[in-house]
Amino acid sequence: MKNIQMIFGAPGCGKTTYLIELLQSLLEVNEPDKIAFVSFTRKGSYEGRDKAIEKFSLKEKDFPFFRTIHSLAFRSLGMSKYEMISRKNYREFSKAMGMNFLGYYTEDLVNNDDQYLFYNSLQKNNRVKSEEVLENLNFQTAKCVSKNYERYKDEAGVKDFDDLLVDFIKNSEALPVDIAIIDEAQDLTTLQWEFCKVAFKNCKQVFIAGDDDQAIYEWSGADLKQFLSLTKVKLLYWINLSG
């Protein structure tokens, strides 16, 4: 990514307001389909778009690149929902393995079988963190689940959300946008950073917004070190409420 500018600030400092004002100023001289606005959450991706729709009397379809990172990869790869792994697939995989997989994982689910799928996901998203997680798992079970999970997806012809990012990166095709705004950047995993580097490699301007004090997803692979390294680039906006 080239010409990166950082928007950095603590909760309540006006960072979100600044981002929306920045977006509106960019839309005065750029077509909306030449701007990408991505975020860790749907709410973050759509907030700026909805404000712009209201201000400029535009429509939702005018903003094809205002999405979460996974949604951008899904759309760019031409995927359909039928190609994505489903609960039915997890039930089939559970039966084949003699285990019980729900297909999702949180900090609270520390003793269920999904911790092994979580390890598999971390191997792609943040390998350093995956090694930390592996220390608390049965090594042989973790390796067996990972190997057979990948094999099952291939045979069933389905992909999970991590696969979308991996495939996009392999294709190495940048998105057809000139400007990218990446919000909630402190929550991005190493894999998601790699996605952004490919997706926005041809952008003339890249704005990255976030706050390390709001980084609450390190347990699931958020690469805070990579985010903090960006504070060395041009700082566009920063307010420290503590003075």
Side-chain angles (χ1 to χ4, degrees), residues 1-6 174 177-182 196-208 230 233-234:
M1 295 185 291
K2 299 172 290 186
N3 194 15
I4 298 174
Q5 298 182 70
M6 194 73 181
V177 294
D178 296 327
I179 299 167
I181 300 173
I182 305 170
C196 290
K197 290 174 184 177
V198 172
F200 307 131
K201 62 184 178 181
N202 293 336
C203 283
K204 299 173 183 176
Q205 290 179 290
V206 177
F207 301 93
I208 299 178
L230 293 168
V233 306
K234 183 177 179 180

Side-chain angles (χ1 to χ4, degrees), residues 25-149:
S25 67
L26 291 170
L27 284 167
E28 290 176 355
V29 292
N30 295 275
E31 294 298 323
D33 63 352
K34 289 298 181 180
I35 302 174
F37 193 114
V38 300
S39 179
F40 185 73
T41 62
R42 289 183 180 180
K43 179 180 181 295
S45 300
Y46 296 157
E47 186 173 13
R49 179 200 66 186
D50 293 343
K51 292 286 186 181
I53 287 174
E54 180 180 351
K55 179 176 177 63
F56 295 98
S57 300
L58 296 168
K59 298 180 180 179
E60 185 176 322
K61 65 180 179 62
D62 296 321
F63 297 85
F65 302 109
F66 280 55
R67 298 172 178 270
T68 63
I69 287 175
H70 291 99
S71 178
L72 272 180
F74 180 91
R75 184 178 185 274
S76 298
L77 293 169
M79 297 289 292
S80 78
K81 64 179 182 180
Y82 303 106
E83 296 173 282
M84 299 299 296
I85 195 165
S86 65
R87 291 184 181 180
K88 175 178 177 291
N89 294 125
Y90 284 117
R91 288 195 296 269
E92 289 179 351
F93 183 60
S94 295
K95 184 176 180 180
M97 294 294 294
M99 301 174 76
N100 182 32
F101 300 107
L102 302 175
Y104 65 89
Y105 186 81
T106 70
E107 284 184 287
D108 300 324
L109 300 176
V110 292
N111 294 314
N112 73 338
D113 289 337
D114 283 84
Q115 62 188 319
Y116 291 101
L117 288 183
F118 176 58
Y119 164 72
N120 176 269
S121 176
L122 277 179
Q123 283 186 296
K124 299 172 185 176
N125 276 280
N126 187 328
R127 188 165 291 274
V128 172
K129 191 64 180 179
S130 75
E131 294 305 314
E132 295 177 12
V133 169
L134 183 59
E135 293 176 1
N136 298 315
L137 301 177
N138 180 288
F139 179 83
Q140 294 300 328
T141 301
K143 296 300 181 181
C144 180
V145 169
S146 290
K147 178 181 178 180
N148 284 289
Y149 178 60

